[in-house]
Amino acid sequence: MGYKLSKDAFDACLAQLSKDYDVYAPVRMAGGNPFSDTDCIRYGKIKSIEEVVFDEKSDYSYKEILLPLSETLFYFTEKEIKEADPKEKGGVIFLRACDLHAVRRMDEIYLHNGFEDYYYKRLRERVKFVLMGCKASFENCFCASMSTNESGDYDLAVEPGEGGYLVDCKLKEWQELFAGRGTERAYEPSHVAENPVEVKVPENLSAKVSESEMWREYDSRCINCGRCNFACPTCTCFTMQDLFYTDNGKVGERRRVQASCMVDGFTDVAGGGCYRAKNGDRMRFKVLHKVLDYKQRFGYHMCVGCGRCDDICPEYISFSGAVNKLSQAMTEVETDEQE
């Protein structure tokens, strides 16, 4: 059902939802950039719809809610293990169409990839999604090329309009809440039909492209900071850390911590070996995982075209640009094979 709500009416709905859920949305954090004192738009808890940043793209994605940067899995002593308690409340997450498609990618990895991840599942089952309508494309977005520019798989959709907020509620248990505070008004979430950036993944793309010289460009350009991975809504890698308490070295906790395939140490193995020591090889692995390996396994591309990797790279390396080079790289590799 579609409704129009005033700011106060929507805030009243949020107050009601906050009794059972922590509500997260992209908010402006003044001076909150990790590398400077500039503003940063990232996910935080909200109490008012006015806190939500609708007209700018968030620097980081919703991923920090479903896959925390650091999550304690269990505590241990010499004799016993205690599972970490789950969050007391469920979660409501405001996100755009591309990120809503990214949730599906995370579900594939953690729930439909041969086993179900217990910790991800217990959090995921208690989360509802609010789609934020996109009236215009942001810089570096290429969601239209990846077919992730619109989605109907939401519980609630909202965007500013007509002096208030336009809402489409699909979740039956919320309809009475919003209907009681708004007026009926047909609403279809806005979405962009095209982006300034276009990306084309070659139809004949294969693992042969890994032999291309194009990857050597990134040996010197990339500084392996990992920012692209941590900003990406579909990067799901993690590592484990055991922390031992100083008062008793046999007592501590195990944490799951987000990891990056672009940083030093990710592919280190016993004996001092490293599978991808060069930065270009790491770039190759990341790009082909997003547009080749994942599709071979699940039938669609992993990348959702949000463009955050291009936005955040301090060396101005363009992921979309790398993908657009693959066609020429495939041609060169196949030509070399024929010769």
Side-chain angles (χ1 to χ4, degrees), residues 55-314:
D55 58 353
E56 296 181 57
K57 178 169 47 174
S58 62
D59 298 298
Y60 296 88
S61 76
Y62 73 93
K63 181 176 69 175
E64 297 178 356
I65 312 303
L66 284 180
L67 188 66
L69 290 170
S70 180
E71 177 184 17
T72 299
L73 305 183
F74 58 82
Y75 303 90
F76 56 85
T77 67
E78 299 98 319
K79 298 181 179 180
E80 61 182 1
I81 295 175
K82 179 188 179 300
E83 178 184 309
D85 294 331
K87 290 187 175 181
E88 294 183 2
K89 295 182 178 181
V92 172
I93 304 176
F94 283 65
L95 74 182
R96 302 187 188 277
C98 58
D99 284 344
L100 195 49
H101 280 276
V103 174
R104 180 186 176 194
R105 275 74 172 164
M106 291 185 69
D107 287 350
E108 294 279 24
I109 295 296
Y110 283 99
L111 301 179
H112 311 133
N113 194 25
F115 70 98
E116 290 185 343
D117 185 283
Y118 170 78
Y119 295 97
Y120 177 83
K121 184 179 180 181
R122 75 175 184 178
L123 180 58
R124 174 71 174 82
E125 289 177 337
R126 303 173 63 203
V127 170
K128 308 297 183 185
F129 296 104
V130 179
L131 175 66
M132 300 166 61
C134 281
K135 293 183 178 180
S137 178
F138 299 106
E139 185 179 7
N140 293 323
C141 291
F142 53 99
C143 55
S145 298
M146 307 310 292
S147 301
T148 59
N149 51 321
E150 58 181 316
S151 174
D153 191 22
Y154 54 81
D155 299 297
L156 185 78
V158 61
E159 66 182 85
E162 300 181 7
Y165 294 88
L166 304 177
V167 171
D168 179 38
C169 183
K170 289 189 175 182
L171 194 64
K172 290 183 178 179
E173 61 192 81
W174 287 1
Q175 286 181 357
E176 183 177 343
L177 173 64
F178 286 90
R181 291 177 171 83
T183 56
E184 285 195 23
R185 197 280 198 188
Y187 164 63
E188 191 75 23
S190 300
H191 70 275
V192 296
E194 58 183 4
N195 311 110
V197 177
E198 293 186 10
V199 168
K200 184 171 178 58
V201 181
E203 293 292 334
N204 65 333
L205 185 62
S206 73
K208 292 180 182 179
V209 79
S210 62
E211 303 168 10
S212 171
E213 288 298 310
M214 68 170 281
W215 309 112
R216 303 282 63 87
E217 169 190 345
Y218 304 104
D219 286 341
S220 58
R221 290 188 63 194
C222 177
I223 59 173
N224 36 298
C225 64
R227 293 180 72 182
C228 54
N229 292 134
F230 294 118
C232 175
T234 65
C235 281
T236 57
C237 290
F238 61 84
T239 186
M240 292 292 188
Q241 295 181 357
D242 285 344
L243 280 72
F244 297 89
Y245 301 153
T246 54
D247 293 341
N248 185 342
K250 296 181 180 180
V251 177
E253 60 188 80
R254 173 163 294 182
R255 293 181 182 177
R256 174 155 69 186
V257 182
Q258 282 191 32
S260 165
C261 64
M262 299 299 292
V263 302
D264 289 336
F266 185 81
T267 59
D268 288 356
V269 294
C274 178
Y275 288 110
R276 292 185 289 275
K278 294 183 178 179
N279 294 339
D281 294 339
R282 298 171 187 180
M283 184 69 175
R284 178 200 67 210
F285 173 80
K286 182 185 73 171
V287 171
L288 295 187
H289 183 51
K290 299 292 184 182
V291 297
L292 177 63
D293 303 339
Y294 185 91
K295 185 177 181 181
Q296 290 176 337
R297 178 178 296 185
F298 297 109
Y300 56 93
H301 293 304
M302 191 177 196
C303 176
V304 295
C306 70
R308 289 189 180 95
C309 49
D310 288 18
D311 296 333
I312 207 166
C313 178

Side-chain angles (χ1 to χ4, degrees), residues 8-74:
D8 290 339
F10 202 102
D11 285 351
C13 293
L14 287 179
Q16 188 66 30
L17 291 175
S18 296
K19 295 179 180 179
D20 300 311
Y21 301 95
D22 289 324
V23 184
Y24 300 93
V27 299
R28 184 178 301 279
M29 298 183 178
N33 196 296
F35 302 98
S36 68
D37 59 358
T38 57
D39 292 356
C40 180
I41 301 174
R42 68 190 308 167
Y43 275 74
K45 293 182 182 180
I46 64 165
K47 294 183 179 180
S48 171
I49 188 65
E50 284 190 327
E51 297 178 64
V52 182
V53 178
F54 282 96
D55 58 353
E56 296 181 57
K57 178 169 47 174
S58 62
D59 298 298
Y60 296 88
S61 76
Y62 73 93
K63 181 176 69 175
E64 297 178 356
I65 312 303
L66 284 180
L67 188 66
L69 290 170
S70 180
E71 177 184 17
T72 299
L73 305 183
F74 58 82

